[in-house]
Amino acid sequence: VLAAQGYAPLHPPLRPASLLEDENEVFLRRQGGADLELHWSLFDFPHYRYHLPMEPFWSNARPLSLGGTLTWMLGPEDQVLYLCAHLVLHHGEEQPRLLWFHDVAEVIAHDSGQLDWAALLERARDCDLFLPLQQVLPHLAGEWKVPIPPFVLERLQESRPSPAECSLHALSLIHISEPTDS
């Protein structure tokens, strides 16, 4: 469907047959520069690729029309969870770019009245992704003045990630340093 609309892989895999097994996404570009990331798993890390409970993500997905073709996108809570986790898991050791914080802030601003914060916190716990929320949301509330309810910030400060999540991240240097504007 996407190929018929002019999309092609930006970096074609060396072995197309192994794409689904070895990766979690493909980057597509349409003539004229429109980019699209097509995911079949949220993260490339083996634990999350194989053990992340995807059913709740699918059941909360929203319909999206892309060039007249119906597809699905993450619901707002799952978008916030994914974007925070992407920032921390994929970019936690480097200088984070403002764009990654901006993406989270935009989803919160766009869906602020509809976000189920308690469900977001519960899903983060269930998915071993509590630590990314602890790293990103207080930063956005403090530095960016993003309207995050006080009870959320209190729970993030008072709660600890599960032992399993701590083990997953034991070798990582997960911290949020000052973002760059590039």
Side-chain angles (χ1 to χ4, degrees), residues 84 87-88 91-92 96 101 132 135-136 139 173-179:
C84 289
L87 194 162
V88 171
H91 306 290
F101 288 102
Q135 297 296 313
V136 176
H139 179 80
L173 299 175
I174 296 176
H175 65 283
I176 299 297
S177 56
E178 289 303 311

Side-chain angles (χ1 to χ4, degrees), residues 11-173:
H11 305 289
L14 295 175
R15 297 179 332 137
S18 68
L19 185 64
L20 288 175
E21 184 179 315
D22 297 336
E23 298 294 335
N24 72 312
E25 65 186 345
V26 64
F27 294 93
L28 304 168
R29 178 165 283 159
R30 183 170 53 191
Q31 195 101 24
D35 291 342
L36 178 69
E37 290 180 35
L38 183 61
H39 287 251
W40 47 91
S41 175
L42 293 179
F43 305 104
D44 200 18
F45 297 92
H47 172 79
Y48 294 112
R49 273 199 357 218
Y50 299 114
H51 301 289
L52 191 66
M54 291 304 297
E55 163 46 35
F57 290 93
W58 284 112
S59 65
N60 291 317
R62 293 180 170 181
L64 171 70
S65 179
L66 184 64
T69 301
L70 181 64
T71 187
W72 297 91
M73 65 180 275
L74 294 174
E77 296 81 13
D78 296 331
Q79 265 309 352
V80 170
L81 181 59
Y82 169 74
L83 291 169
C84 289
H86 177 263
L87 194 162
V88 171
L89 295 173
H90 290 281
H91 306 290
E93 294 181 8
E94 61 187 67
Q95 192 80 10
R97 293 174 53 203
L98 290 174
L99 172 67
W100 298 319
F101 288 102
H102 182 263
D103 287 348
V104 181
E106 280 296 317
V107 171
I108 293 170
H110 184 266
D111 291 302
S112 63
Q114 300 171 18
L115 270 171
D116 184 341
W117 290 98
L120 171 61
L121 294 171
E122 184 177 330
R123 174 110 70 241
R125 276 236 177 266
D126 292 345
C127 296
D128 289 327
L129 291 169
F130 197 76
L131 213 144
L133 294 185
Q134 284 184 314
Q135 297 296 313
V136 176
L137 295 182
H139 179 80
L140 287 176
E143 298 295 319
W144 289 58
K145 308 301 183 220
V146 172
I148 297 170
F151 87 90
V152 172
L153 297 172
E154 289 168 13
R155 287 222 6 229
L156 290 171
Q157 184 176 18
E158 295 168 355
S159 301
R160 297 291 159 244
S162 71
E165 183 175 1
C166 290
S167 294
L168 285 170
H169 299 282
L171 299 176
S172 298
L173 299 175

